[in-house]
Structures are given as C-alpha cells and as structure tokens.
C-alpha cells in the first residue's frame, strides 16, 4: 500500500494530459495512456503502485466506459480508484459512470486546484480503506492460526481414539487443495481464490470430528460393522456439526461455516443415496463434494486393519465407476485431471506407525 505513488492519466488529447501532468508531477510518479486499451495494459502491470486513474470517456480503441467495465470485472476497482474527467455533461453519462464504479466525476473545463483537492480526497479515502482491509486481513490470519491450533488439537484426539493417523488428516487437506485448485482454474466464475482455497483445505481437517462421539467398540472394530453399528457410525456427521456449532463464538465464522458443511455433507452422494440428509446433485455443497471424493480415495488406498490397501488403479476405477457412491461429472473430471498428484501425495504422506481406520462403506457387514 505504501508504494501507491503513481497517477495514471488516460486521455487521447495530448494537451489534456499535459495540463494534468503539470498538476501532479511534483507529488506523483506519472503514467500516460492515449486510449483505453493502453490504460488497461498499464493497470494490469502496475496496479499495485497506482494511487488513482484519471480517465477520459471519449477515446478511440476503447472508451472510458469499456475501461471501467473491464476494471470492475477483473476486480481492479477495489484497489485502483477511477476519477472520470470528461466534457460529456449529461445526467445519463454521470449515472452510467458511477454505476460502472467511478469514484468521482470532474467536468471539463476544470479548475486545477479543485481537481487536485478532489484527487487528494479520493486517494486518501482509498488508502484508508486499504489500510483497514489490511488490518482485517491480519486479524483473519490470526484467527486462522488459532483455528489451526484448534484443528490440530481436535485431530489429535481422533488419532488417539481411533486407528487413523495425522497423515490421514494431512492427506485430506492436500487432496482437497489440489482438487480445489483444478476446479478453480477450470471454473473462474466460482470465485475460489487462493485465500478461500486455503480456508476450505484447512476446514477439511474437521470432516470426521464427530467420530469423537462414536463408541470405541464401533470406531475401532477390526471387522465389518453390522447394520445397527453402521447406523451409529453414520451419526458422526451430525454429531460433528453439533460440536462445531458450539465454536461459533470463538473462531473464524467463515472457516467454521465451511467446516460445518464439510462435516455434515461429505458422505452425501450425487444421486441422493448418501447421508445424513439424502441431498442430491447441486444441493450438496461443492466443498463437501470435494472432501467426499478425497476421503474415498484415501480410504481405498491406505491399509486397513482387515485388508491391505487396494492398488491405485483399482481404487481409481472404483471411484470413477460409482462403486463408492455417485460423484458429479465435474468432480470426476477434475479427479481424473489430478489423479497423478493424488497418488504422489499418497506416497509422500504415507502412514508409518499404524494403518488408517476403515472406510465407513467398506465396514458394512
């Protein structure tokens, strides 16, 4: 934020740029563009240094309205405020410019001192807002650090009570992250940025927290579960949500919301045959669908107390063919795309001390 020392002048008339240059050259580093296309190229390269954009509306190649629209779509307006300087003095043009995200509008001809003051006001207001956002982000980062400590502590409890190891938790985190990154790249409209991917990946660690409430005789049974035992095992999804609900006042709300959805719905299946709510299709939160397929893969490719891990090829085939429940075509497409990454992570973060607990579906008698 401290490097925002640049004013971008965008006008196809050289004389207009020269007048503005004289006003700001002592206080700012200046960039100039004579059309909207040049302006967008400069903003893409130097958006982290631009304090404000002074934008004409009527220009060749791309006009000011097109520039504003593109900046809004690509989310640059949140850090680079735009002041429109134009001779188009109509209420309709003003409304359109403001609707597209302009911070202020100055009409030509203008009084130089008025322009300087209004530019200064916009710049100071934006710097203050960015500073506030930095403070919010820092607080959120501290909360996430606290969440990590909490997650590790709760995960340790599960490890001590069951045959699962910390490597299982780590693999689920990494599988989730790899799948999310692939889905985000293929579907940018979903809005999964780096920050959100990190939050969801971390929240995936809580997917089986409800197993704390399952009796040892069922949780660590070395053979298949009876139907009655499996019904009790299935309650870990809802019991985990009850635990997470009690943490609402002490943790990052966004993180806990994702953890709640994952915990409750990672055993739901695309065709409605999962549990606990029998959701189908897009009713299942995407984050839970991702953790669901990650959990299945880990359950199949890690040793069990009553059998060895399945070959990777067999595990992959079972998931793709719906033998572990139905997954969405989008999820299977991404799973296919990241298959080699999954297998590499599975080998890199293998269990050394004790085998994983059995997959719920595998333990039905």
């Amino acid at each position: 934020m401290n490097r925002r020392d640049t004013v971008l002048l965008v006008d196809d008339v050289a004389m207009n740029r020269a007048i503005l240059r004289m006003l700001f050259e002592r206080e700012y580093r200046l960039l100039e563009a004579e059309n909207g296309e040049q302006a967008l190229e400069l903003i893409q390269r130097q958006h982290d240094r631009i304090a404000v954009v002074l934008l004409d509306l009527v220009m060749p190649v791309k006009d000011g309205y097109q520039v504003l629209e593109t900046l809004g779509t690509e989310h640059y307006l949140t850090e680079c405020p735009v002041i429109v300087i134009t001779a188009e003095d109509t209420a309709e043009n003003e409304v359109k410019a403001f609707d597209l995200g302009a911070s202020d509008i100055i009409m030509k001809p203008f009084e130089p001192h008025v322009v300087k003051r209004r530019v200064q006001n916009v710049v100071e207001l934006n710097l203050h807002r960015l500073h506030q956002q930095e403070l919010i982000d820092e607080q959120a980062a501290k909360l996430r650090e606290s969440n990590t400590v909490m997650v590790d502590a709760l995960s340790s409890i599960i490890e001590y009570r069951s045959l699962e190891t910390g490597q299982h938790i780590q693999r689920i985190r990494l599988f989730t992250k790899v799948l999310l990154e692939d889905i985000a790249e293929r579907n940018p409209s979903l809005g999964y940025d780096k920050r959100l991917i990190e939050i969801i990946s971390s929240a995936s660690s809580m997917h089986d927290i409800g197993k704390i409430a399952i009796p040892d005789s069922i949780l660590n049974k070395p053979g298949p579960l009876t139907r009655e035992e499996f019904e009790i095992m299935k309650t870990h999804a809802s019991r985990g949500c009850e635990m997470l609900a009690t943490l609402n006042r002490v943790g990052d709300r966004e993180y806990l919301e994702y953890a709640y959805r994952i915990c409750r719905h990672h055993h739901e299946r695309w065709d409605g045959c999962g549990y606990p709510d029998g959701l189908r299709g897009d009713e299942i939160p995407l984050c839970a669908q991702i953790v669901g397929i990650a959990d299945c893969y880990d359950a199949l490719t890690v040793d069990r107390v009553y059998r060895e891990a399945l070959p990777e090829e067999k595990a992959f085939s079972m998931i793709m063919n719906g033998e572990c429940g139905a997954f969405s075509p989008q999820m299977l497409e991404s799973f296919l795309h990241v298959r080699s990454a999954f297998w590499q992570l599975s080998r890199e973060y293998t269990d050394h001390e004790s085998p994983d607990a059995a997959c719920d579906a595998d333990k039905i008698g």
Side-chain angles (χ1 to χ4, degrees), residues 14-35:
M15 179 61 70
N16 292 338
R17 298 199 305 273
I19 294 171
L20 292 170
R21 189 187 314 122
M22 291 173 60
L23 289 178
F24 297 105
E25 61 187 356
R26 292 186 180 181
E27 301 174 53
Y28 293 96
R29 171 175 169 264
L30 299 177
L31 294 174
E32 296 186 26
E34 61 183 21
N35 60 61

mmCIF file of all heavy atoms in Angstrom, residues 14-35:
data_model
loop_
_atom_site.group_PDB
_atom_site.id
_atom_site.type_symbol
_atom_site.label_atom_id
_atom_site.label_comp_id
_atom_site.label_asym_id
_atom_site.label_seq_id
_atom_site.Cartn_x
_atom_site.Cartn_y
_atom_site.Cartn_z
ATOM 1 N N ALA A 14 -3.367 15.040 -26.200
ATOM 2 C CA ALA A 14 -2.089 15.264 -25.525
ATOM 3 C C ALA A 14 -2.111 16.509 -24.650
ATOM 4 O O ALA A 14 -1.508 16.521 -23.567
ATOM 5 C CB ALA A 14 -0.969 15.365 -26.571
ATOM 6 N N MET A 15 -2.810 17.573 -25.093
ATOM 7 C CA MET A 15 -2.857 18.807 -24.314
ATOM 8 C C MET A 15 -3.526 18.574 -22.960
ATOM 9 O O MET A 15 -3.080 19.098 -21.929
ATOM 10 C CB MET A 15 -3.615 19.888 -25.093
ATOM 11 C CG MET A 15 -3.730 21.226 -24.341
ATOM 12 S SD MET A 15 -2.107 21.959 -23.973
ATOM 13 C CE MET A 15 -1.596 22.426 -25.631
ATOM 14 N N ASN A 16 -4.608 17.790 -22.940
ATOM 15 C CA ASN A 16 -5.283 17.494 -21.676
ATOM 16 C C ASN A 16 -4.361 16.750 -20.713
ATOM 17 O O ASN A 16 -4.328 17.022 -19.509
ATOM 18 C CB ASN A 16 -6.539 16.666 -21.925
ATOM 19 C CG ASN A 16 -7.615 17.454 -22.656
ATOM 20 O OD1 ASN A 16 -7.625 18.682 -22.629
ATOM 21 N ND2 ASN A 16 -8.522 16.738 -23.318
ATOM 22 N N ARG A 17 -3.598 15.797 -21.253
ATOM 23 C CA ARG A 17 -2.651 15.058 -20.404
ATOM 24 C C ARG A 17 -1.559 15.988 -19.894
ATOM 25 O O ARG A 17 -1.125 15.876 -18.744
ATOM 26 C CB ARG A 17 -2.025 13.894 -21.171
ATOM 27 C CG ARG A 17 -3.038 12.834 -21.633
ATOM 28 C CD ARG A 17 -2.332 11.510 -21.958
ATOM 29 N NE ARG A 17 -1.265 11.677 -22.929
ATOM 30 C CZ ARG A 17 -1.417 11.645 -24.239
ATOM 31 N NH1 ARG A 17 -2.634 11.481 -24.770
ATOM 32 N NH2 ARG A 17 -0.383 11.777 -25.058
ATOM 33 N N ALA A 18 -1.128 16.930 -20.731
ATOM 34 C CA ALA A 18 -0.072 17.864 -20.317
ATOM 35 C C ALA A 18 -0.540 18.735 -19.161
ATOM 36 O O ALA A 18 0.219 19.006 -18.218
ATOM 37 C CB ALA A 18 0.349 18.729 -21.507
ATOM 38 N N ILE A 19 -1.791 19.193 -19.220
ATOM 39 C CA ILE A 19 -2.332 20.024 -18.128
ATOM 40 C C ILE A 19 -2.365 19.239 -16.824
ATOM 41 O O ILE A 19 -1.954 19.725 -15.757
ATOM 42 C CB ILE A 19 -3.739 20.531 -18.496
ATOM 43 C CG1 ILE A 19 -3.662 21.484 -19.685
ATOM 44 C CG2 ILE A 19 -4.398 21.217 -17.300
ATOM 45 C CD1 ILE A 19 -5.015 21.877 -20.257
ATOM 46 N N LEU A 20 -2.851 18.014 -16.906
ATOM 47 C CA LEU A 20 -2.914 17.177 -15.697
ATOM 48 C C LEU A 20 -1.513 16.815 -15.204
ATOM 49 O O LEU A 20 -1.266 16.757 -13.996
ATOM 50 C CB LEU A 20 -3.710 15.906 -15.991
ATOM 51 C CG LEU A 20 -5.211 16.110 -16.258
ATOM 52 C CD1 LEU A 20 -5.838 14.822 -16.780
ATOM 53 C CD2 LEU A 20 -5.927 16.577 -14.985
ATOM 54 N N ARG A 21 -0.589 16.620 -16.140
ATOM 55 C CA ARG A 21 0.773 16.300 -15.754
ATOM 56 C C ARG A 21 1.383 17.419 -14.922
ATOM 57 O O ARG A 21 2.053 17.166 -13.907
ATOM 58 C CB ARG A 21 1.621 16.058 -17.004
ATOM 59 C CG ARG A 21 3.019 15.501 -16.705
ATOM 60 C CD ARG A 21 3.889 15.437 -17.954
ATOM 61 N NE ARG A 21 3.174 14.877 -19.088
ATOM 62 C CZ ARG A 21 3.006 15.504 -20.241
ATOM 63 N NH1 ARG A 21 3.480 16.737 -20.422
ATOM 64 N NH2 ARG A 21 2.355 14.917 -21.230
ATOM 65 N N MET A 22 1.137 18.651 -15.323
ATOM 66 C CA MET A 22 1.668 19.801 -14.590
ATOM 67 C C MET A 22 1.118 19.861 -13.162
ATOM 68 O O MET A 22 1.800 20.308 -12.241
ATOM 69 C CB MET A 22 1.344 21.094 -15.335
ATOM 70 C CG MET A 22 2.094 21.259 -16.655
ATOM 71 S SD MET A 22 1.522 22.693 -17.594
ATOM 72 C CE MET A 22 1.864 24.023 -16.435
ATOM 73 N N LEU A 23 -0.108 19.383 -12.973
ATOM 74 C CA LEU A 23 -0.731 19.436 -11.645
ATOM 75 C C LEU A 23 -0.128 18.423 -10.676
ATOM 76 O O LEU A 23 -0.056 18.674 -9.472
ATOM 77 C CB LEU A 23 -2.235 19.175 -11.759
ATOM 78 C CG LEU A 23 -3.094 20.265 -12.396
ATOM 79 C CD1 LEU A 23 -4.543 19.807 -12.479
ATOM 80 C CD2 LEU A 23 -2.996 21.546 -11.577
ATOM 81 N N PHE A 24 0.318 17.258 -11.203
ATOM 82 C CA PHE A 24 0.665 16.163 -10.295
ATOM 83 C C PHE A 24 2.118 15.697 -10.374
ATOM 84 O O PHE A 24 2.529 14.834 -9.598
ATOM 85 C CB PHE A 24 -0.250 14.955 -10.584
ATOM 86 C CG PHE A 24 -1.698 15.241 -10.334
ATOM 87 C CD1 PHE A 24 -2.581 15.435 -11.397
ATOM 88 C CD2 PHE A 24 -2.181 15.350 -9.039
ATOM 89 C CE1 PHE A 24 -3.917 15.707 -11.168
ATOM 90 C CE2 PHE A 24 -3.523 15.621 -8.802
ATOM 91 C CZ PHE A 24 -4.391 15.803 -9.870
ATOM 92 N N GLU A 25 2.919 16.282 -11.272
ATOM 93 C CA GLU A 25 4.254 15.744 -11.494
ATOM 94 C C GLU A 25 5.184 15.917 -10.296
ATOM 95 O O GLU A 25 6.166 15.174 -10.164
ATOM 96 C CB GLU A 25 4.878 16.376 -12.750
ATOM 97 C CG GLU A 25 5.043 17.868 -12.691
ATOM 98 C CD GLU A 25 5.511 18.445 -14.025
ATOM 99 O OE1 GLU A 25 5.775 17.635 -14.939
ATOM 100 O OE2 GLU A 25 5.608 19.672 -14.154
ATOM 101 N N ARG A 26 4.920 16.889 -9.422
ATOM 102 C CA ARG A 26 5.787 17.086 -8.248
ATOM 103 C C ARG A 26 5.477 16.088 -7.123
ATOM 104 O O ARG A 26 6.340 15.827 -6.278
ATOM 105 C CB ARG A 26 5.644 18.504 -7.722
ATOM 106 C CG ARG A 26 6.205 19.560 -8.662
ATOM 107 C CD ARG A 26 6.154 20.924 -8.016
ATOM 108 N NE ARG A 26 6.696 21.963 -8.889
ATOM 109 C CZ ARG A 26 6.775 23.251 -8.553
ATOM 110 N NH1 ARG A 26 6.340 23.655 -7.365
ATOM 111 N NH2 ARG A 26 7.275 24.113 -9.406
ATOM 112 N N GLU A 27 4.266 15.576 -7.107
ATOM 113 C CA GLU A 27 3.845 14.709 -5.997
ATOM 114 C C GLU A 27 3.784 13.238 -6.365
ATOM 115 O O GLU A 27 3.878 12.375 -5.477
ATOM 116 C CB GLU A 27 2.466 15.140 -5.498
ATOM 117 C CG GLU A 27 2.403 16.577 -5.004
ATOM 118 C CD GLU A 27 0.972 16.965 -4.656
ATOM 119 O OE1 GLU A 27 0.338 16.232 -3.875
ATOM 120 O OE2 GLU A 27 0.494 17.992 -5.179
ATOM 121 N N TYR A 28 3.625 12.936 -7.634
ATOM 122 C CA TYR A 28 3.412 11.562 -8.029
ATOM 123 C C TYR A 28 4.296 11.164 -9.197
ATOM 124 O O TYR A 28 4.712 12.003 -9.996
ATOM 125 C CB TYR A 28 1.943 11.339 -8.451
ATOM 126 C CG TYR A 28 0.937 11.466 -7.342
ATOM 127 C CD1 TYR A 28 0.259 12.665 -7.131
ATOM 128 C CD2 TYR A 28 0.650 10.379 -6.509
ATOM 129 C CE1 TYR A 28 -0.682 12.780 -6.114
ATOM 130 C CE2 TYR A 28 -0.289 10.484 -5.494
ATOM 131 C CZ TYR A 28 -0.954 11.675 -5.300
ATOM 132 O OH TYR A 28 -1.877 11.793 -4.295
ATOM 133 N N ARG A 29 4.538 9.888 -9.262
ATOM 134 C CA ARG A 29 5.078 9.287 -10.476
ATOM 135 C C ARG A 29 3.902 9.193 -11.459
ATOM 136 O O ARG A 29 2.791 8.838 -11.076
ATOM 137 C CB ARG A 29 5.600 7.888 -10.150
ATOM 138 C CG ARG A 29 6.016 7.028 -11.300
ATOM 139 C CD ARG A 29 6.613 5.721 -10.753
ATOM 140 N NE ARG A 29 6.805 4.727 -11.803
ATOM 141 C CZ ARG A 29 5.969 3.760 -12.091
ATOM 142 N NH1 ARG A 29 4.829 3.642 -11.414
ATOM 143 N NH2 ARG A 29 6.221 2.890 -13.052
ATOM 144 N N LEU A 30 4.139 9.507 -12.742
ATOM 145 C CA LEU A 30 3.040 9.589 -13.713
ATOM 146 C C LEU A 30 3.178 8.541 -14.806
ATOM 147 O O LEU A 30 4.278 8.251 -15.286
ATOM 148 C CB LEU A 30 2.990 10.979 -14.342
ATOM 149 C CG LEU A 30 2.738 12.145 -13.382
ATOM 150 C CD1 LEU A 30 2.798 13.463 -14.141
ATOM 151 C CD2 LEU A 30 1.383 11.988 -12.701
ATOM 152 N N LEU A 31 2.030 7.992 -15.190
ATOM 153 C CA LEU A 31 1.924 7.143 -16.367
ATOM 154 C C LEU A 31 0.871 7.752 -17.275
ATOM 155 O O LEU A 31 -0.088 8.365 -16.792
ATOM 156 C CB LEU A 31 1.501 5.716 -15.984
ATOM 157 C CG LEU A 31 2.480 4.892 -15.144
ATOM 158 C CD1 LEU A 31 1.820 3.576 -14.736
ATOM 159 C CD2 LEU A 31 3.763 4.626 -15.911
ATOM 160 N N GLU A 32 1.032 7.568 -18.590
ATOM 161 C CA GLU A 32 0.072 8.154 -19.526
ATOM 162 C C GLU A 32 -0.379 7.115 -20.550
ATOM 163 O O GLU A 32 0.397 6.251 -20.971
ATOM 164 C CB GLU A 32 0.688 9.356 -20.250
ATOM 165 C CG GLU A 32 1.044 10.505 -19.325
ATOM 166 C CD GLU A 32 1.529 11.737 -20.082
ATOM 167 O OE1 GLU A 32 1.132 11.894 -21.269
ATOM 168 O OE2 GLU A 32 2.302 12.530 -19.497
ATOM 169 N N ALA A 33 -1.644 7.218 -20.936
ATOM 170 C CA ALA A 33 -2.206 6.368 -21.984
ATOM 171 C C ALA A 33 -3.119 7.215 -22.847
ATOM 172 O O ALA A 33 -3.828 8.085 -22.337
ATOM 173 C CB ALA A 33 -2.978 5.207 -21.367
ATOM 174 N N GLU A 34 -3.104 6.966 -24.161
ATOM 175 C CA GLU A 34 -3.917 7.776 -25.069
ATOM 176 C C GLU A 34 -5.183 7.057 -25.530
ATOM 177 O O GLU A 34 -5.949 7.590 -26.305
ATOM 178 C CB GLU A 34 -3.087 8.212 -26.279
ATOM 179 C CG GLU A 34 -2.545 7.068 -27.111
ATOM 180 C CD GLU A 34 -1.656 7.556 -28.254
ATOM 181 O OE1 GLU A 34 -1.142 8.695 -28.160
ATOM 182 O OE2 GLU A 34 -1.483 6.789 -29.221
ATOM 183 N N ASN A 35 -5.386 5.829 -25.009
ATOM 184 C CA ASN A 35 -6.650 5.137 -25.265
ATOM 185 C C ASN A 35 -6.880 4.102 -24.166
ATOM 186 O O ASN A 35 -5.986 3.801 -23.362
ATOM 187 C CB ASN A 35 -6.681 4.487 -26.651
ATOM 188 C CG ASN A 35 -5.576 3.460 -26.839
ATOM 189 O OD1 ASN A 35 -5.512 2.467 -26.121
ATOM 190 N ND2 ASN A 35 -4.702 3.703 -27.814
#
